[in-house]
Amino acid sequence: MWTLVLNSGSSSLKFALLNPASGEVRLSGLAERLGTPEATIQLEHGGQQKSRSLGGGSSGGESYEAALGEVLRELETLGMRGAVRAVGHRVVHGGERFSAPVLVTPEVLGAVRACVPLAPLHNPANIVGIEAAQQAFPELPHVAVFDTAFHQTMPEVAYRYAVPQAWYSQHGVRRYGFHGTSHAYVAGRAAEMLQRPLPTLNLITAHLGNGASVCAVAGGRSVDTSMGLTPLEGLIMGSRSGDVDPGLHDYLARQAGLSLSEITAALNKESGLLGLSGLTNDMRELEKAALTGHRGARLALGAFIYRLAKCMAGMAVALGRVDGVVFTGGIGENSRTVRAQTLRRLGVLGLHLDEEANKALPRGDAGVISLPGGPVALVIPTHEELMIARETAVIVGGRGYAL
Ligand code: ADP
């Protein structure tokens, strides 16, 4: 069974055709700058890449339709059109309504639309992507897989903010968490690598990409996570601030005359590693600059690691006992410096860095980077597309569709 996985952003569409059982990827790619005259699509198949212009003039759903039209044509060229059995969609926010993936129905689309105020940048794009894909593949079942769903198992003490009750009951102000697909995937892979049943394992997973979050996973269930109502809470990220004092908005409005939307934009786009370093949001560049003595780069790196380690140590409270920690995402998978310095700070949890193993681990590989005698530290490349394909297959299989 082949599953087409789609991740629709505000001006981009990532896609992959995979076999959920074997993980084989037959076709993948990215359409970018959708809705502009410069819209392009890149397709990769069998190690070969090609790029095409999608032409301008299209807007909204039309540009997604153009991109999906190209994907369809490529599937036909590869003789794979008839082999696709389902389409899995990444949806960012499922609110409290969705704690698991679901088959897309008009009612489900309505519920995703009702979550738009919670994710005004992401959910509208996800909806446009789903609707365009339903037109392109009308005969196939479509499944929505939510970034927030995995965290719906958090206990109330972890997900409630200490704010007026009505904000929660009337406006849904609570912590939801994101990156759920990635946290769930690496937790499952950790259990496989350690050859221990997932229900017996307590793990702290750190997804460190441009966005970054930590999750406490007890027996395969999320019991706390660092992101909250929005993906702005928690760790220092590429250009997002993570936690700040909630009094900041009022202070800046009065002192600097900034509007709410200006402050929010700056906290999302001009803060984090970029804001602290004054240089870049890119960890690779920061590491290079820190080596040459760039003060801002050193500060950004140091603060990122300090906040990460502090947050991971805090997750030990949610778990009681920590069996292992997992690093994933572009930074977690590739930055030996971030892993080493974070683990040195986590001696408090009994973790002991294996310096040699950390240095020797090839980029893109999974492996153990801790010494025996404490919780294990793992590096595991995430694979959100595969997880979405698997979840889609489970839903579609359970509904009695022919696989
Ligand atoms: P996204 O969240 O956009 O999917 P990624 O998971 O690809 O992002 O992570 C991007 C981050 O990973 C960037 O900060 C990038 O610099 C960092 N990164 C990638 N490769 C390396 C490397 N070799 N060393 C350090 N950081 C790296």
Side-chain angles (χ1 to χ4, degrees):
M1 169 189 175
W2 291 87
T3 303
L4 183 64
V5 174
L6 300 179
N7 181 354
S8 321
S10 54
S11 64
S12 68
L13 175 71
K14 253 174 106 174
F15 55 91
L17 177 71
L18 346 92
N19 182 321
S22 67
E24 185 188 345
V25 179
R26 194 57 73 81
L27 173 70
S28 63
L30 173 68
E32 289 178 288
R33 294 183 288 278
L34 294 177
T36 75
E38 290 84 38
T40 56
I41 185 165
Q42 290 160 33
L43 300 131
E44 187 172 338
H45 161 67
Q48 296 203 328
Q49 286 190 351
K50 46 188 163 184
S51 185
R52 282 185 209 135
S53 167
L54 288 172
S58 52
S59 64
E62 287 165 41
S63 48
Y64 289 81
E65 280 160 28
L68 284 167
E70 285 295 327
V71 174
L72 248 173
R73 259 189 291 287
E74 192 65 21
L75 289 172
E76 272 157 14
T77 309
L78 297 174
M80 291 295 292
R81 173 69 181 86
V84 188
R85 291 286 184 274
V87 186
H89 298 267
R90 176 187 180 219
V91 178
V92 167
H93 218 305
E96 284 190 331
R97 164 70 198 277
F98 298 106
S99 54
V102 287
L103 197 67
V104 177
T105 61
E107 199 259 325
V108 163
L109 260 186
V112 173
R113 203 165 271 120
C115 293
V116 164
L118 290 168
L121 298 178
H122 294 102
N123 273 31
N126 298 155
I127 293 166
V128 170
I130 291 174
E131 287 177 334
Q134 283 179 322
Q135 284 192 20
F137 302 92
E139 78 290 4
L140 294 181
H142 292 252
V143 172
V145 180
F146 300 91
D147 260 25
T148 48
F150 181 59
H151 302 297
Q152 280 295 303
T153 47
M154 284 195 287
E156 200 167 8
V157 289
Y159 74 70
R160 285 291 292 272
Y161 292 113
V163 296
Q165 262 183 23
W167 292 6
Y168 170 60
S169 56
Q170 291 171 20
H171 303 294
V173 173
R174 54 158 283 179
R175 308 182 63 252
Y176 293 94
F178 300 86
H179 292 144
T181 306
S182 179
H183 289 298
Y185 174 78
V186 296
R189 279 286 295 132
E192 284 171 13
M193 286 171 66
L194 299 172
Q195 299 186 324
R196 288 185 50 184
L198 184 58
T200 67
L201 274 180
N202 279 358
L203 300 166
I204 300 170
T205 54
H207 176 104
L208 310 174
N210 279 313
S213 69
V214 164
C215 183
V217 188
R221 292 156 63 89
S222 168
V223 291
D224 202 352
T225 191
S226 60
M227 282 179 169
L229 174 72
T230 74
L232 191 52
E233 187 177 336
L235 303 178
I236 292 172
M237 309 179 214
S239 64
R240 287 182 226 154
S241 61
D243 292 344
V244 291
D245 186 327
L248 177 92
H249 291 74
D250 180 61
Y251 176 80
L252 274 178
R254 283 187 286 111
Q255 289 299 115
L258 295 177
S259 69
L260 267 185
S261 56
E262 283 168 334
I263 297 168
T264 304
L267 290 175
N268 274 293
K269 297 188 184 133
E270 295 162 30
S271 302
L273 296 173
L274 173 64
L276 273 174
S277 69
L279 190 66
T280 174
N281 64 344
D282 191 289
M283 183 57 85
R284 213 171 343 190
E285 299 299 317
L286 278 179
E287 285 186 8
K288 279 189 207 141
L291 284 177
T292 68
H294 189 286
R295 203 184 165 289
R298 287 189 162 183
L299 171 65
L301 198 58
F304 178 89
I305 290 161
Y306 172 67
R307 186 89 75 80
L308 171 63
K310 196 164 109 170
C311 180
M312 289 174 82
M315 290 298 171
V317 174
L319 294 173
R321 180 198 80 236
V322 180
D323 299 314
V325 302
V326 182
F327 292 94
T328 192
I331 296 171
E333 291 164 29
N334 294 296
S335 173
R336 297 178 174 119
T337 308
V338 168
R339 294 192 308 243
Q341 293 190 23
T342 306
L343 286 178
R344 280 191 203 112
R345 284 193 177 272
L346 286 178
V348 67
L349 297 184
L351 278 148
H352 303 290
L353 169 70
D354 183 338
E355 305 261 1
E356 288 314 310
N358 183 45
K359 278 192 204 131
L361 187 72
R363 293 191 204 287
D365 274 15
V368 172
I369 55 164
S370 55
L371 294 168
V376 62
L378 299 155
V379 179
I380 302 178
T382 194
H383 201 338
E384 286 162 286
E385 288 89 0
L386 177 58
M387 189 71 183
I388 292 173
R390 282 189 192 157
E391 305 234 52
T392 299
V394 169
I395 296 289
V396 169
R399 290 289 179 134
Y401 283 87
L403 297 185

